[in-house]
Amino acid sequence: MAGVVVCHGSATVRERLVVTSIGVPSLAPVRAAATADELLALARRITPTVVLLDAHLPGAGPTEAIRRLRAVAPSTAVVLLAGPDDGEALDRALALGARGFLAPDVGRAELAAVAAHVQASPVTAGVAVPAVPHPATPLQESHVARADAGVPARPVEPTPVLTKREIEVLVGMSHGRSNAQIGQELFLSEDTVKTHARRLFRKLGASDRAQAVAIGLRRGIID
């Protein structure tokens, strides 16, 4: 991957997201921008794979920032950082091809899931981009929103037992590697990697790579 750019008007939020992103190997390198102009300057030097974009970006605003970014880096996946009252900004961003959205308090597991999904389904210029699927945190499901609403925490589920090979395959996925690349590292055929992947998906109750990586990180199966 060509890395992630965290573009947010709040220095506090920006710095926290940079630190969180650094914890996801497949998002490296991690760069930061405070405005649309800074974002475009970074994108012109190295096209980012993912941009985490503030729904309240000062100056040009998120909609104009996405339009300008599309002209410079059409293959970049944009994920809006939106709060509970940002439905209108989100709709505009999705209409311009944004990949999906995350709450600004997003954690490492969600970012790793986004990275895994983007790696598995890269953007092609001119082609409609599917939204980032679960487990990218929906607005109403962020832990801050749940706490504010007085929603009790979900019960902790037992950690499934994966074999050593299944864990190795999951680690490879968390680093954004394809099945073929994982097979080369583990000296396995691509078909064997796919078999391990299907088994670990079933054990984790995951429907795809993104969800498997997020579950693995949340439950401490992988670091």
Side-chain angles (χ1 to χ4, degrees), residues 88-220:
E88 184 176 348
L90 175 61
D91 288 342
R92 291 176 180 174
L94 293 174
L96 290 172
R99 211 68 192 259
F101 60 94
L102 294 167
D105 62 347
V106 61
R108 186 165 61 101
E110 284 77 17
L111 288 180
V114 169
H117 180 68
V118 170
Q119 180 72 13
S121 54
V123 181
T124 302
V127 176
V129 182
V132 173
H134 176 82
T137 310
L139 301 183
Q140 67 273 21
E141 287 295 326
S142 73
H143 69 261
V144 170
R146 289 177 64 83
D148 289 345
V151 178
R154 294 172 181 169
V156 177
E157 299 179 10
T159 301
V161 178
L162 302 186
T163 66
K164 178 182 177 182
R165 279 297 191 208
E166 289 165 352
I167 293 174
E168 290 172 339
V169 169
L170 187 58
V171 168
M173 291 178 180
S174 73
H175 291 171
R177 297 187 176 92
S178 67
N179 288 335
Q181 291 170 328
I182 294 172
Q184 290 174 356
E185 291 182 351
L186 300 179
F187 302 101
L188 301 173
S189 70
E190 187 172 353
D191 285 341
T192 300
V193 172
K194 290 179 180 178
T195 298
H196 287 306
R198 284 194 296 269
R199 289 173 179 168
L200 71 89
F201 286 173
R202 185 173 63 252
K203 289 180 179 180
L204 295 175
S207 59
D208 55 30
R209 280 173 160 245
Q211 193 173 7
V213 169
I215 292 171
L217 285 166
R218 286 196 188 105
R219 299 190 184 178

Side-chain angles (χ1 to χ4, degrees), residues 5-11 13-14 32-40 51-69 78-82 86 89:
V5 175
V6 177
C7 184
H8 204 285
S10 165
V13 174
R14 189 169 62 247
T35 65
D37 288 341
E38 290 182 14
L39 169 63
L40 294 173
V51 168
L52 302 177
L53 184 65
D54 182 5
H56 299 276
L57 189 67
T63 302
E64 184 61 23
I66 294 173
R67 287 198 183 100
R68 294 182 188 177
L69 183 65
V78 177
V79 178
L80 200 68
L81 296 166
D86 295 330

